[in-house]
Amino acid sequence: MIVELEGPPYFAEHWASQLGTSVRTLERLRGGINNRVFRCGDGNQYWVIKGYAPALPGQRDRMQAEVDFLRFAAQVAPGFTPILVQADPEHRCVVLEHLEGEAFPEGVPPSEGALGEAVEFFRQLNAEPRLAHESIQLDAAEGFLSLREHLGNVRQRLEGMGFDHLEASFRHRAETLLQQLHTELAHTEERTTSLIDQGIVADAIAPEDRCVSPSDFGFHNAIRTAAGIRFIDFEFAGWDDPAKALVDFNFQPRVPVPGKYSGLFSALKRGQRRHVQIRY
């Protein structure tokens, strides 16, 4: 869908000109929650120009994640993603092939055929581990590939919780509940750290048990085209916990996927399947 455009940014104007089309053809596309996405073209050919916010020190670079993933997918799973026409780190943007098609309707489970295409895409992404390790540099967003990272994430979320917005009559109970959660987390951290230090459990997922994941993977980020399903939006992609990859895919609320494993489990390698069965 297209939203009304008010003054396109310089990166979009620059690449519209570089592509040989008028800046007057720029149209902002709806759905770019984290980024600014535009379409341009002259009616015979269209392109998508996607701009990213600057990567701050210590933060994950969403542009790098998407560029790395698209280049890798073009090698191992061609035809499942839009073609990366140009990556422009100076202007913090990419130029992509424009996909003609329609989005999946929200709240309607995909067909078995569509589900099969998603499974095959995921399988091909994880069929070449050597090339994957050479190509994919970043972990998936919120991958939390160790127990300590998981606990740190829970702690951070608890520390960010507040209850000033609640009615006065609820605040005492909310404060009590929050304190109970902090206490339980402290006990869990202590027990988990002890088990790790004793060598009873491993803290991190072994590199060979991780998977390459689009991360925000599901039919909410897919387009039905005449040539088949194409998946989009890979700024969160990278190395991921296979159990998390399955959970993200299966329980995406906008376009729900039926079934516990939904076929994606079969696309994992033996070690990854064992890891999922332990954690799922």
Side-chain angles (χ1 to χ4, degrees):
M1 298 180 65
I2 298 170
V3 296
E4 187 176 345
L5 178 67
E6 296 181 1
Y10 176 73
F11 76 83
E13 292 185 336
H14 170 78
W15 272 104
S17 298
Q18 291 292 310
L19 293 165
T21 188
S22 171
V23 297
R24 292 193 298 273
T25 69
L26 283 167
E27 301 169 302
R28 186 162 186 176
L29 301 180
R30 187 185 303 277
I33 298 174
N34 301 296
N35 307 287
R36 293 174 291 176
V37 185
F38 299 84
R39 185 182 75 169
C40 70
D42 57 9
N44 296 315
Q45 185 174 9
Y46 291 97
W47 296 270
V48 170
I49 306 170
K50 181 175 182 179
Y52 304 82
L56 300 177
Q59 287 190 351
R60 188 174 177 280
D61 189 340
R62 292 177 174 179
M63 178 179 172
Q64 180 191 345
E66 185 144 35
V67 169
D68 285 353
F69 184 89
L70 284 169
R71 287 174 173 165
F72 174 66
Q75 296 182 76
V76 300
F80 282 103
T81 63
I83 295 170
L84 175 64
V85 178
Q86 184 70 43
D88 182 355
E90 179 182 354
H91 296 99
R92 294 287 298 170
C93 68
V94 297
V95 180
L96 303 170
E97 169 194 17
H98 178 260
L99 300 174
E100 291 287 349
E102 59 182 13
F104 282 78
E106 293 192 12
V108 179
S111 67
E112 288 188 14
L115 187 56
E117 289 192 57
V119 170
E120 180 59 19
F121 176 44
F122 190 80
R123 187 195 67 77
Q124 291 184 22
L125 289 174
N126 288 280
E128 298 286 347
R130 181 190 61 78
L131 182 58
H133 282 285
E134 293 175 358
S135 305
I136 304 296
Q137 306 300 314
L138 300 177
D139 292 339
E142 297 190 344
F144 306 128
L145 297 175
S146 76
L147 294 174
R148 286 189 173 99
E149 287 179 337
H150 272 289
L151 292 169
N153 175 56
V154 174
R155 188 188 320 109
Q156 184 179 32
R157 290 176 181 269
L158 286 179
E159 289 172 352
M161 293 180 69
F163 36 80
D164 290 343
H165 62 290
L166 297 177
E167 294 181 13
S169 58
F170 291 109
R171 289 179 186 173
H172 176 69
R173 280 183 285 175
E175 185 175 9
T176 300
L177 175 60
L178 188 58
Q179 184 57 51
Q180 290 173 345
L181 291 173
H182 276 289
T183 301
E184 182 61 31
L185 176 61
H187 291 160
T188 301
E189 287 180 314
E190 182 179 355
R191 292 195 301 270
T192 303
T193 299
S194 176
L195 291 172
I196 293 170
D197 291 342
Q198 294 177 64
I200 297 174
V201 299
D203 179 27
I205 302 172
E208 62 270 19
D209 290 339
R210 302 171 187 180
C211 67
V212 175
S213 172
S215 196
D216 193 14
F217 184 34
F219 293 95
H220 63 300
N221 277 334
I223 298 174
R224 291 187 289 198
T225 75
I229 297 173
R230 300 294 179 265
F231 294 92
I232 59 173
D233 287 349
F234 304 111
E235 61 206 69
F236 302 126
W239 290 104
D240 208 352
D241 178 341
K244 172 180 167 290
L246 264 67
V247 169
D248 284 349
F249 181 75
N250 289 356
F251 297 106
Q252 210 296 319
R254 285 169 57 188
V255 185
V257 173
K260 182 178 180 181
Y261 290 130
S262 304
L264 212 63
F265 181 76
S266 65
L268 296 170
K269 296 184 181 300
R270 181 178 299 176
Q272 295 169 334
R273 293 180 192 178
R274 176 184 58 79
H275 180 78
V276 169
Q277 289 171 325
I278 291 172
R279 295 169 63 85
Y280 203 89

